[in-house]
Amino acid sequence: MGTPPMNPRKKVTIGTLRSLHRRGEPITMITAHDFPSAHVADAAGMDMVLVGDSLAMVALGMEDTSEVMVEEMLLHCRSVARATKAAFTVGDLPMGSYEIAPQQALETAIRFIKEGRVQSIKLEGGKEMAPTIERITSAGIPVLGHVGLNPQRQNALGGFRVQGKTSQGAVKILEDALAVQEAGCFAVVLEAVPAEVAAIVTQKLSIPTIGIGAGNGCSGQVLVQVDMTGNFPPGRFLPKFVKRYGDVWAESLKAIETYRDEVKSREYPAPEHTYPIAPQELEAFADSVKNL
């Protein structure tokens, strides 16, 4: 599907990401949930593509991320992996698939690599998840950490609330980030954290930080593709940190409404959208119909 790029990019690897970090060049990351969304993200030059559990809401219509199952995530990972020829891919472990024990988490991570065809996995949690992260990384599977706001734990947090707004909270975020770094994460997502706190945490770490609602002092940024492209109806709530770069909903709506109208008026399909038949063949067919 689609035309290969004229100058295909080299495959982004862990080494590429580390090189970008050393040079101080921001790392770009975006979510994707199927072949088309991954195809365009890869073509646009994203360094990393995340198959986030946010697809539960933006692709599957669920109430929150806690509903999505491993098998559903694996299906979407495979779809994304077929399109990402250059970007480094990350699969999000869904709630309930890694918290029970490090061995459970490793088994799930292996499925994401083998069945989902992604190159790394992401899981939420700080110090308490360090043994789990160490178990996975010791098996040779790269892990992207996630501290600050953990959406999978939003019920315990009282909703989607900014984290690290007090000195004690900020210290906890730093301690969590240091713990997942020590456990072997190649990078860590900082979500919904004051920009000043995220910048200090970034300076204290030796691995990249990927911010989402954490200011531009992070080593890179990630956004949910559906949010930033405007692929949603008017009136939908958006987090403060989201910048809408397009209006895919309006363009799609306009195109589909025009198609509807042209079908109703028989304007579509026009002659240029149909296949010809030689006059003599048409005549022979008409004669055959008469004789039926």
Side-chain angles (χ1 to χ4, degrees):
M1 179 180 175
T3 304
M6 292 294 293
N7 298 302
R9 292 189 293 149
K10 289 184 178 179
K11 180 65 182 175
V12 176
T13 65
I14 287 283
T16 310
L17 299 174
R18 288 172 177 157
S19 178
L20 291 172
H21 183 229
R22 283 195 304 270
R23 299 199 306 265
E25 181 177 335
I27 297 169
T28 58
M29 184 175 181
I30 198 169
T31 68
H33 59 263
D34 58 11
F35 186 93
S37 60
H39 198 182
V40 70
D42 199 58
M46 288 291 105
D47 297 315
M48 301 173 69
V49 168
L50 168 66
V51 188
D53 61 3
S54 57
L55 69 82
M57 296 177 287
V58 302
L60 301 179
M62 297 175 177
E63 288 296 320
D64 56 50
T65 62
S66 65
E67 292 186 52
V68 72
M69 307 296 287
V70 168
E71 288 71 20
E72 293 166 325
M73 289 297 301
L74 289 174
L75 171 64
H76 288 273
C77 283
R78 287 193 295 271
S79 300
V80 166
R82 294 183 189 111
T84 47
K85 303 304 181 185
F88 187 82
T89 53
V90 185
D92 215 349
L93 301 193
M95 182 181 182
S97 69
Y98 64 92
E99 300 93 336
I100 296 174
Q103 186 64 26
Q104 178 211 24
L106 175 59
E107 290 172 359
T108 305
I110 289 172
R111 290 192 67 190
F112 269 64
I113 300 299
K114 289 181 66 67
E115 299 176 38
R117 307 306 302 155
V118 292
Q119 295 157 283
S120 63
I121 61 95
K122 182 175 81 66
L123 56 79
E124 297 181 8
K127 288 186 289 186
E128 76 285 359
M129 296 308 299
T132 296
I133 293 167
E134 188 171 359
R135 183 72 181 92
I136 297 172
T137 56
S138 66
I141 298 175
V143 176
L144 174 64
H146 187 145
V147 304
L149 172 61
N150 293 164
Q152 293 177 7
R153 305 180 187 189
Q154 57 101 4
N155 290 324
L157 297 172
F160 297 98
R161 299 180 180 276
V162 177
Q163 304 296 299
K165 294 181 71 174
T166 66
S167 59
Q168 184 178 3
V171 167
K172 181 181 184 305
I173 290 171
L174 175 58
E175 290 176 345
D176 282 340
L178 288 169
V180 301
Q181 173 181 271
E182 183 65 22
C185 283
F186 70 89
V188 59
V189 171
L190 302 180
E191 180 167 1
V193 174
E196 297 85 354
V197 173
I200 292 173
V201 171
T202 299
Q203 292 168 8
K204 292 294 183 180
L205 296 180
S206 59
I207 60 174
T209 58
I210 308 297
I212 178 166
N216 64 10
C218 295
S219 311
Q221 301 292 330
V222 60
L223 280 177
V224 174
Q225 186 176 157
V226 168
D227 291 346
M228 58 84 67
T229 58
N231 194 5
F232 51 83
R236 198 192 105 184
F237 170 78
L238 279 182
K240 179 181 180 180
F241 57 78
V242 174
K243 178 176 179 179
R244 198 174 76 170
Y245 286 85
D247 196 350
V248 171
W249 175 275
E251 288 298 313
S252 296
L253 185 66
K254 178 182 176 182
I256 295 171
E257 286 177 338
T258 302
Y259 165 68
R260 177 203 63 201
D261 293 343
E262 290 193 0
V263 169
K264 292 288 188 181
S265 67
R266 297 192 181 277
E267 184 178 351
Y268 176 84
E272 62 267 27
H273 305 122
T274 59
Y275 299 103
I277 182 172
Q280 63 272 22
E281 296 297 332
L282 179 59
E283 184 178 353
F285 170 62
D287 290 340
S288 298
V289 171
K290 292 176 183 178
N291 295 328
L292 287 177

